[in-house]
Amino acid sequence: MPKFIPFLLAGLALPFLANAQDSETLTVYTHPSFAAEWGPGPGVKEAFEQQCDCTLDYVVLESGGDILQRLRLEGSSTGADVVLGLDTGTMETARQTGLLTTHNIGLDALDLPVDWNDPLFVPYDWGYFAFVYDTEQLPTPPESLEELVNSPDDPQIIIQDPRTSTPGLGLLLWMKAVYGDQAGEKWRALSDNILTTTKSWSDGYFSLFMNGEAPMILSYSTSPAYHMAIDKTDRYQAAQFKEGHYLQVEVAALVEPSDQKALAREFLQFILTPAFQRHIPLKNVMYPAIDLGDELPEVFDRLIQPEATLFIDPAEVAQQRQVWLDEWLNAMIP
Amino acid sequence: MQRSLSGSFPAPLSRPAWQVLPGLIIASVLLALTLTGLAALVWRAPLPAVSELWENRYLANVIRFTVWQAALSTIISLSLGLAIALALVRQPRFQGRSLLLRIMELSLVLPTIVAVSGLIGIYGRQGWLTTLVGDWTFASWDLYGLSGILLAHVFFNAPLAGRILLQTLESVPSPRRRVASQLGLRGWWLWRTLDWPAIRSVLPALCALVFTLCFTSFAIVMTLGGGPASTTLEVAIYQSLRFEFDFGRAALLAMVQLGICGALWLLVMRRSLTHDFAPDRRFAEIIRRPDCRGATRFRDRALLFTFSLFLMLPLAAILLRGLPGLATVAFEAGDPLFDLANATLRSFAIALPAGAFSVMSGLLILTLASRGRAFSKISSIASALPLMVPPIVLGTGLFLLLRPALGQPSEGLALVALINGLMALPFVTQLLKGPLTALDENTLHQADQLGLLGWYRWRWLHWPRLRRPMALAMAYGTALSLGDFGVIALFGTPGQPTLPVLLYQQLGSYRMELAAGTALWLITMLLLVFAAFNLASHERGQRKRSENTIETLTEARHA
């Protein structure tokens, strides 16, 4: 027992010592699931610091939206060199701030289901939105979005609010990509199946889904990988839908006002190497952005393989988001 | 040089300025923070036209729904709270009474995600009670919708209301109670002469408090509300600020919220019925009420038992769910234990100063209130403000204003402690108000004549009376900060989580079992805070006993 007392004291003192170092420091704004003890953050930090002779510091904000908001609030005096944790839903808004600059690195190593040559954003992982279901409650899940929409009021699903959550917005775009102008009436048809709409993914997954409240929840096609590899259970699986699945790409970018641009570019380059990417599959529970070959954990072969990748150009999403949100609201509020 | 009458040096801190200035500064800081926070938002983007509020169907619906659910929640919470308080006052020897009181204190500070998980474990579709009732009867209920929101709000607020009303009812002077007992008053007459006059003065302020808490409720309303039809104003503010970066709209909505809740508080104040929420907790001898026996006794006990179950079952669900997680933390080799210990220490490093700051500023603000009508108004408004201003608006305003000065992460953490302290102010002032203002004119006059001023007055007159309420206030301040997620998330943590942040990190990384363990640990810490401060305030039992003797003597004279 006594051996961890110094450790505890160090924990108390850490906030005051955080800036006491000589070498260069790269500050990365990110969100909790990346920087958490169990996320890829610590491993990535260690690997990068070994090669750069610098210190990598994370500033952890609540979500991708918060990273963007913090950036906007700080403007040109921001302390960030790199932002990591924006996604295809927020990157256009981020582009419009004018606070990001070109990465100037080669993207040939990328292995995404879509073509990617964005000058600002470097993808670091990706995944499909999917409904994860509990095989004990629901032996035969719907095989298509259409089947789910048309089923009277069973199975019940838990979704997240597109106004406050990334997967929530993902489903909104998924419905839009599949149904176009009919999305509104399809939402109305789907609403009988919606048990509730939570503020965040965590609220729904922890409070409701893991308590057995509903057999299905909006999540990622990669979620079962975690349960299979770490929890050692096949109980939770993703339902494969015939229409295809909507793609989410998570990205990093270089911050314009940064005075560490060279180091920041080195980090962005590092993102596309196995030293970074090997931490993604089981720690961020997403697909790596490059081909990891044999290093990709075996459970990833057992995930669903969508027949089609649905993706709406982020610029169009940014332009239409408010209209689509209003359409959703009108459909859901009787 | 001013010298005191006795010719010696004046008592330390006895200048009138000392009793006004610090409180005035804190009150002004609060008012200024709110105004500049809003102004900072408006300065970034112009306000939208006010007519959008009623022309936009969505916004109009949001406002209507927010008021409606808050009003319903307030009515139910207060009615249940009153029934519980009456039952507790009729049955002072109810077994498990003190445990029930601790749990009633705890319910207010439970982090929502944890409480919701517990409620769902009992009342959800697969919850214990739902399954049990479903197996034995044909009855069933749907938690999601208005009913779920009301259930959760009653779970949080009925204990708060009951706790405050109980203390009010117990503060009825003993002679009155004795007379009522001798006359054998019952039913309506007892209510009319004893109970109603006592609670009448607290009720408006209590209504305003519970209404504001329900009005600004956020995650609960979304999770249990079932869909976007159940959206509160706070959700719309969050949405405008975090996702649409529409600062103008956020400011407008925040002003609507401030306007509605502020009007209610002003109304309460104008009728000058604001009263101490927590009167002296001096229980003189127990005087049996005429209506404590027979069928009433049975009914009261049944009610108290049911209410205890209502509060404790969700806690039991959290306990059961969290135990395996805690076991993993304890026995799994590696970091989880260190993480938990570190996060606990860091949380307390923020929460204890936050609690102390809130008690100190609460006292200073209350001292201000005794210095004239204008000051009294400022003090009441300032201490209710933290409830009405959305924290995210306050935080954003603060951030915009203080950004150039914010260098070190540790300064960010200090700021978190400071804001947490301010957030606890509405509760802390309500707890301290009574004991601080309960001294009668004669005593004060006598103290003046004796030259008992400044520090000495505080040490010998107020401190003995304030010891226990201050301990409870400190417990509330600390516990509220301990469970806070909003403010700390806003300022960002340099990779070093507090307990609630750790909980969210675990959730974000699929560590559901660990998260359940952390939740249980967090609740244990909260209970520990209440128990520890309760114990600390009990240390000097002798003093209390001597007070009681004097009271008993004076009572005997009156009787």
Side-chain angles (χ1 to χ4, degrees):
Chain A
M1 265 320 195
K3 78 174 179 196
F4 76 80
I5 288 175
F7 194 77
L8 299 184
L9 290 177
L12 272 179
L14 265 175
F16 306 100
L17 298 173
N19 278 35
Q21 66 256 317
D22 307 324
S23 61
E24 287 183 304
T25 302
L26 186 73
T27 307
V28 176
Y29 283 9
T30 187
H31 53 63
S33 47
F34 186 84
E37 187 66 37
W38 313 273
V44 164
K45 178 178 158 76
E46 202 187 325
F48 187 63
E49 284 177 351
Q50 263 175 15
Q51 75 165 61
C52 75
D53 186 32
C54 68
T55 309
L56 180 61
D57 268 351
Y58 297 120
V59 171
V60 189
L61 298 157
E62 196 182 341
S63 67
D66 292 83
I67 297 173
L68 187 47
Q69 198 203 12
R70 171 66 75 92
L71 203 60
R72 286 171 63 120
L73 290 178
E74 290 179 337
S76 56
S77 64
T78 181
D81 300 307
V82 168
V83 287
L84 186 149
L86 302 176
D87 72 340
T88 29
T90 45
M91 60 183 245
E92 281 311 307
T93 328
R95 195 194 305 276
Q96 286 157 15
T97 62
L99 289 165
L100 303 176
T101 190
T102 47
H103 52 66
N104 298 344
I105 63 167
L107 299 176
D108 298 337
L110 278 180
D111 180 29
L112 301 182
V114 289
D115 288 333
W116 192 281
N117 347 315
D118 195 281
L120 293 190
F121 298 101
V122 179
Y124 68 90
D125 68 16
W126 59 276
Y128 294 109
F129 294 112
F131 283 93
V132 169
Y133 66 100
D134 178 354
T135 48
E136 287 180 15
Q137 282 194 59
L138 191 71
T140 48
E143 289 178 357
S144 65
L145 197 55
E146 185 67 14
E147 191 185 331
L148 178 66
V149 167
N150 288 336
S151 57
D153 54 7
D154 217 40
Q156 290 277 295
I157 58 172
I158 301 159
I159 65 168
Q160 293 96 48
D161 198 309
R163 295 169 297 173
T164 53
S165 132
T166 305
L169 183 63
L171 180 61
L172 188 82
L173 301 178
W174 192 358
M175 293 283 283
K176 198 74 208 172
V178 172
Y179 293 116
D181 292 342
Q182 292 181 308
E185 56 189 87
K186 295 293 181 179
W187 270 109
R188 215 164 292 132
L190 181 65
S191 65
D192 290 340
N193 296 75
I194 299 173
L195 176 70
T196 191
T197 309
T198 59
K199 177 194 164 199
S200 68
W201 178 88
S202 307
D203 284 319
Y205 217 85
F206 176 74
S207 300
L208 299 161
F209 185 61
M210 296 308 260
N211 262 334
E213 276 300 277
M216 272 180 120
I217 183 167
L218 174 64
S219 188
Y220 295 91
S221 73
T222 38
S223 305
Y226 182 87
H227 295 297
M228 291 190 285
I230 313 285
D231 289 345
K232 310 281 180 216
T233 173
D234 289 358
R235 179 170 169 187
Y236 303 104
Q237 295 298 332
Q240 177 154 0
F241 284 174
K242 283 191 184 119
E243 296 90 343
H245 288 247
Y246 198 85
L247 176 73
Q248 183 196 21
V249 182
E250 290 196 283
V251 298
L254 175 58
V255 179
E256 217 296 308
S258 159
D259 51 8
Q260 301 269 23
K261 289 205 181 71
L263 187 59
R265 288 202 168 97
E266 196 185 327
F267 181 72
L268 291 176
Q269 190 79 61
F270 174 72
I271 286 180
L272 299 181
T273 63
F276 179 105
Q277 292 291 331
R278 72 169 59 101
H279 298 286
I280 292 295
L282 286 182
K283 289 184 176 163
N284 225 31
V285 200
M286 294 285 267
Y287 285 103
I290 63 171
D291 187 359
L292 270 183
D294 291 345
E295 273 201 70
L296 188 69
E298 172 267 331
V299 284
F300 274 70
D301 298 337
R302 296 167 57 201
L303 299 177
I304 57 164
Q305 307 290 334
E307 288 160 25
T309 299
L310 304 174
F311 190 65
I312 302 175
D313 180 33
E316 194 189 347
V317 174
Q319 212 181 3
Q320 296 291 324
R321 208 166 59 113
Q322 194 54 53
V323 179
W324 294 343
L325 270 176
D326 285 342
E327 181 185 63
W328 171 77
L329 276 173
N330 281 325
M332 300 299 284
I333 299 177
Chain B
M1 282 298 283
Q2 185 197 358
R3 309 193 80 193
S4 74
L5 288 175
S6 58
S8 62
F9 287 103
L13 310 182
S14 64
R15 281 163 174 261
W18 276 111
Q19 284 150 47
V20 176
L21 265 184
L24 198 60
I25 290 173
I26 291 180
S28 321
V29 164
L30 263 171
L31 289 169
L33 274 184
T34 314
L35 291 179
T36 44
L38 284 173
L41 291 179
V42 178
W43 168 64
R44 287 272 166 141
L47 277 179
V50 184
S51 61
E52 198 197 336
L53 287 177
W54 48 89
E55 278 165 11
N56 184 326
R57 189 171 79 101
Y58 168 60
L59 281 186
N61 271 337
V62 166
I63 295 173
R64 203 174 315 128
F65 176 78
T66 312
V67 174
W68 170 237
Q69 62 84 16
L72 275 183
S73 304
T74 309
I75 294 170
I76 303 176
S77 300
L78 254 58
S79 317
L80 182 61
L82 181 60
I84 295 300
L86 282 172
L88 275 169
V89 91
R90 279 194 291 258
Q91 312 298 335
R93 298 198 197 285
F94 176 67
Q95 293 86 357
R97 182 187 156 107
S98 74
L99 178 67
L100 179 58
L101 289 184
R102 286 297 90 69
I103 288 182
M104 284 166 76
E105 285 158 7
L106 181 70
S107 75
L108 179 73
V109 299
L110 280 182
T112 35
I113 193 169
V114 178
V116 167
S117 161
L119 284 170
I120 292 207
I122 303 300
Y123 305 101
R125 303 214 150 184
Q126 307 293 327
W128 290 356
L129 197 64
T130 317
T131 322
L132 196 73
V133 170
D135 284 350
W136 291 89
T137 64
F138 293 107
S140 70
W141 59 76
D142 190 10
L143 184 65
Y144 302 91
L146 190 59
S147 54
I149 296 175
L150 293 180
L151 180 85
H153 281 168
V154 169
F155 177 80
F156 280 104
N157 295 304
L160 175 72
R163 191 77 183 82
I164 289 166
L165 288 172
L166 170 68
Q167 289 177 346
T168 318
L169 288 171
E170 277 175 342
S171 75
V172 174
S174 308
R176 254 170 187 269
R177 284 193 264 165
R178 183 164 299 130
V179 170
S181 173
Q182 283 163 352
L183 291 175
L185 293 181
R186 275 157 189 280
W188 164 252
W189 289 105
L190 192 62
W191 163 256
R192 190 67 196 83
T193 51
L194 212 57
D195 303 328
W196 174 240
I199 61 164
R200 200 176 60 170
S201 57
V202 233
L203 222 45
L206 188 55
C207 271
L209 180 69
V210 174
F211 183 87
T212 313
L213 286 172
C214 298
F215 192 92
T216 54
S217 171
F218 186 169
I220 293 180
V221 172
M222 290 189 80
T223 306
L224 297 177
S230 318
T231 296
T232 58
L233 217 48
E234 194 103 11
V235 177
I237 294 169
Y238 179 94
Q239 180 198 355
S240 331
L241 214 46
R242 289 271 168 100
F243 282 78
E244 272 137 38
F245 305 101
D246 190 343
F247 290 151
R249 195 181 194 191
L252 178 69
L253 294 177
M255 285 177 199
V256 171
Q257 176 154 321
L258 258 175
I260 296 178
C261 296
L264 194 65
W265 282 95
L266 278 177
L267 192 76
V268 166
M269 264 189 292
R270 254 171 66 98
R271 305 198 58 198
S272 69
L273 283 168
T274 3
H275 186 273
D276 46 303
F277 274 178
D280 264 5
R281 299 210 295 171
R282 279 169 299 159
F283 308 116
E285 86 246 60
I286 293 169
I287 297 167
R288 299 194 75 155
R289 290 174 53 121
D291 60 347
C292 68
R293 273 161 292 205
T296 322
R297 181 186 145 96
F298 178 74
R299 211 184 52 208
D300 283 345
R301 284 177 182 250
L303 178 68
L304 290 177
F305 183 71
T306 318
F307 188 65
S308 304
L309 279 185
F310 172 66
L311 293 185
M312 284 200 299
L313 281 179
L315 292 181
I318 296 166
L319 178 77
L320 272 190
R321 208 183 154 188
L323 278 179
L326 267 192
T328 314
V329 170
F331 298 114
E332 190 179 281
D335 292 339
L337 187 61
F338 291 157
D339 291 333
L340 193 66
N342 260 325
T344 310
L345 277 182
R346 202 169 296 112
S347 282
F348 275 105
I350 293 175
L352 286 172
F357 175 67
S358 68
V359 170
M360 203 180 67
S361 35
L363 281 175
L364 291 172
I365 281 197
L366 287 172
T367 319
L368 184 66
S370 61
R371 296 277 143 179
R373 275 191 85 83
F375 284 140
S376 159
K377 276 225 159 115
I378 295 179
S379 117
S380 326
I381 295 179
S383 56
L385 261 185
L387 276 184
M388 300 180 233
V389 187
I392 179 170
V393 169
L394 197 66
T396 307
L398 258 175
F399 192 85
L400 285 170
L401 291 170
L402 298 181
R403 172 167 42 95
L406 268 181
Q408 305 277 334
S410 55
E411 289 168 24
L413 291 186
L415 199 62
V416 170
L418 218 65
I419 300 180
N420 279 170
L422 292 180
M423 305 300 277
L425 215 48
F427 305 97
V428 167
T429 49
Q430 298 302 354
L431 286 164
L432 296 178
K433 202 180 213 167
L436 196 65
T437 51
L439 288 175
D440 59 299
E441 296 259 311
N442 282 342
T443 316
L444 289 176
H445 199 63
Q446 212 163 32
D448 282 342
Q449 283 182 331
L450 287 171
L452 203 55
L453 298 168
W455 166 251
Y456 301 126
R457 190 186 193 109
W458 160 250
R459 174 64 188 87
W460 299 109
L461 205 60
H462 290 305
W463 172 244
R465 295 166 162 272
L466 277 171
R467 234 185 111 87
R468 301 189 62 194
M470 268 174 74
L472 186 60
M474 178 81 188
Y476 265 110
T478 310
L480 279 169
S481 168
L482 209 56
D484 168 73
F485 179 65
V487 177
I488 189 130
L490 198 66
F491 284 92
T493 46
Q496 301 157 335
T498 59
L499 276 178
V501 175
L502 181 73
L503 175 67
Y504 274 87
Q505 288 190 351
Q506 290 167 333
L507 291 174
S509 310
Y510 288 82
R511 300 270 163 158
M512 299 297 157
E513 197 189 64
L514 278 187
T518 308
L520 175 58
W521 178 252
L522 181 56
I523 292 186
T524 316
M525 289 299 110
L526 292 172
L527 257 180
L528 198 75
V529 165
F530 280 108
F533 281 108
N534 189 35
L535 208 69
S537 70
H538 270 300
E539 243 172 79
R540 296 197 187 169
Q542 304 89 329
R543 187 185 298 279
K544 195 177 151 248
R545 220 167 291 142
S546 70
E547 263 178 21
N548 277 348
T549 347
I550 295 170
E551 261 180 16
T552 328
L553 283 176
T554 41
E555 263 170 33
R557 196 154 41 105
H558 286 297

